[in-house]
Amino acid sequence: MKQKHLIILLLTVILVIVALFLVFNRGTGTFKNNTKEFAVKDTASITKVFLADKKNHTILLEKVEVGNWILNGTYKARSSGINLLFETFIHLVPKYPVPKSAHDNIVAQLAAASIKVEIYQQVYRIDLFGFKLLPHEKLTKTYYVGGATQDNMGTFMLIDGADVPFVVHLLGFRGYVAPRYSTMEKDWRDHTVFRNNLADIQQVIMETPTEPENSFKILKENRKLQLINFKTNAVLPQYDTLRLLNFLTAFADIRYEALLNDMEPKRMDSIINSTPKSILTVIDSKGDSTTIITFFKPNDSRAIDMKGNLYIHDLDRLYALVNEEKDFVLIQYYVFDKVLRPLSYFIPEN
């Protein structure tokens, strides 16, 4: 008898939960009809963002884990770009609806040139009184991002399915936000070349084709470091230990400045087929290797020395091949100098 009462009680509880769930959903069913709710406050629940423009450029950002996003199913996404986009989601505020006099013109502009934004979040089929059950991914918001207002202090936006566009701005920001919704893949690519901790580095090989005497190799065996002349394969008995350790710790976070895969092919081929300035390879404890091949960049700025002579090469930047030579990039001496050292740098002067 007690078992029968327990079953009835459980069924009653389940029916109450289902009823409350249906009432809750009915009460929030008009969410998509809210024509001015552009902000997303709970960015931690976002699992996917899709961006598309009228020229068939698309960006798909998918969360792998907290702080780790994949771009278009292939590349690691730039964390600073993700953070800026989510900051935008949080602080979007509608200023006012587009006036009737400008309505048709703005709608036509949005139809011709806008960026479609789809935001997916992890939601729960049952979310009542602190209880969250049956999680799943759901498209929670879709809107269109247009151009700037005449004073560049607002952005025209339209919620999917709404009739009235709004002028939207970002709290604490002077300007328009459309550039934050870029549909260009290069704007979302992670720029990391090296991210190796000292403990994980097993081997470093530096080749300098124009100065073979300055090529070297660093080996780690049983936590001991060996500095080897790459040309002669001779182990150097003495070296500046502090400089060598500083060199190895510099690989913790090294990034390129810009992706140049869209450079004119003939010019790019000419650079790639020239003699490299350096070929640097880092091998970690798992045997995975990362290589960067650098090339001199012409002195396009026409900089001259103290005697008025024109420098042959750019003093601030180099070209480089990274990601298994798939990407052609621009790098800064300021960032890379600390990992592009010659062998002579480690040899004590005395």
Side-chain angles (χ1 to χ4, degrees):
M1 194 69 178
K2 289 184 178 179
Q3 186 177 4
K4 184 178 180 180
H5 287 162
L6 181 61
I7 292 173
I8 294 173
L9 179 62
L10 287 174
L11 288 173
T12 302
V13 171
I14 291 172
L15 288 172
V16 169
I17 291 174
V18 170
L20 288 172
F21 169 68
L22 292 173
V23 170
F24 177 79
N25 273 347
R26 189 179 300 118
T28 59
T30 58
F31 177 79
K32 287 187 178 180
N33 293 326
N34 190 331
T35 61
K36 61 179 183 178
E37 189 60 47
F38 295 92
V40 177
K41 300 300 183 183
D42 184 16
T43 56
S45 67
I46 295 177
T47 57
K48 186 165 63 180
V49 177
F50 177 74
L51 308 173
D53 64 17
K54 299 297 182 178
K55 296 180 180 179
N56 295 322
H57 298 130
T58 59
I59 293 295
L60 179 61
L61 302 166
E62 298 175 282
K63 181 160 68 174
V64 178
E65 57 188 6
V66 176
N68 186 6
W69 289 73
I70 294 298
L71 166 63
N72 288 344
T74 303
Y75 306 105
K76 180 176 174 60
R78 183 168 52 88
S79 58
S80 58
I82 296 291
N83 293 338
L84 185 64
L85 182 65
F86 283 10
E87 179 186 315
T88 305
F89 287 165
I90 293 171
H91 298 294
L92 283 177
V93 176
K95 295 179 74 174
Y96 53 85
V98 170
K100 290 184 178 180
S101 59
H103 176 276
D104 291 348
N105 184 39
I106 297 302
V107 169
Q109 289 181 23
L110 287 166
S114 64
I115 296 171
K116 183 179 183 181
V117 181
E118 293 182 355
I119 299 172
Y120 296 77
Q121 294 174 271
Q122 178 175 282
V123 298
Y124 298 86
R125 298 188 189 280
I126 298 177
D127 186 358
L128 296 170
F129 313 119
F131 291 98
K132 296 182 178 182
L133 301 172
L134 306 177
H136 66 288
E137 184 180 71
K138 180 181 179 181
L139 173 60
T140 57
K141 195 177 295 293
T142 303
Y143 58 87
Y144 299 87
V145 179
T149 55
Q150 193 170 4
D151 61 1
N152 287 326
M153 298 303 292
T155 306
F156 294 110
M157 293 189 183
L158 175 68
I159 291 284
D160 186 43
D163 297 323
V164 181
F166 273 77
V167 172
V168 181
H169 73 131
L170 198 63
L171 285 177
F173 176 74
R174 294 180 61 83
Y176 67 104
V177 299
R180 300 189 180 195
Y181 295 87
S182 172
T183 54
M184 297 294 101
E185 192 174 80
K186 67 178 183 179
D187 293 335
W188 295 100
R189 291 277 301 273
D190 181 57
H191 289 194
T192 301
V193 178
F194 295 109
R195 185 173 287 142
N196 301 92
N197 295 321
L198 174 61
D200 294 328
I201 295 176
Q202 201 66 32
Q203 188 175 165
V204 177
I205 302 170
M206 167 61 84
E207 300 175 67
T208 52
T210 57
E211 298 178 350
E213 68 279 2
N214 268 316
S215 299
F216 64 89
K217 180 163 56 175
I218 298 172
L219 292 179
K220 184 196 293 181
E221 292 183 355
N222 300 322
R223 298 185 179 181
K224 293 183 178 180
L225 298 173
Q226 287 186 331
L227 180 61
I228 301 170
N229 186 312
F230 192 80
K231 182 179 179 181
T232 64
N233 207 34
V235 178
L236 278 69
Q238 291 184 324
Y239 55 82
D240 190 314
T241 305
L242 184 59
R243 285 190 172 188
L244 190 67
L245 288 175
N246 286 339
F247 171 76
L248 292 174
T249 56
F251 287 97
D253 189 11
I254 300 292
R255 304 164 185 258
Y256 64 80
E257 179 181 2
L259 187 65
L260 302 178
N261 286 342
D262 55 357
M263 180 184 283
E264 197 273 317
K266 186 176 180 180
R267 183 184 176 193
M268 186 189 299
D269 288 342
S270 175
I271 296 167
I272 293 174
N273 291 323
S274 64
T275 302
K277 178 184 183 296
S278 61
I279 305 170
L280 175 62
T281 301
V282 176
I283 303 173
D284 64 20
S285 56
K286 296 179 182 179
D288 295 329
S289 64
T290 302
T291 298
I292 180 171
I293 304 173
T294 69
F295 303 89
F296 286 111
K297 181 179 181 296
N299 177 20
D300 298 326
S301 65
R302 313 298 292 175
I304 57 176
D305 61 20
M306 296 294 290
K307 297 180 179 180
N309 298 318
L310 191 69
Y311 288 111
I312 299 175
H313 303 125
D314 193 311
L315 301 180
D316 299 313
R317 291 171 173 81
L318 292 163
Y319 291 128
L321 284 172
V322 297
N323 298 328
E324 298 179 349
E325 302 184 29
K326 296 175 183 176
D327 293 316
F328 188 65
V329 300
L330 186 67
I331 66 175
Q332 296 180 9
Y333 278 112
Y334 176 78
V335 174
F336 278 82
D337 259 353
K338 52 194 173 185
V339 295
L340 295 178
R341 303 293 190 184
L343 177 61
S344 58
Y345 175 78
F346 304 104
I347 308 302
E349 292 183 2
N350 58 355

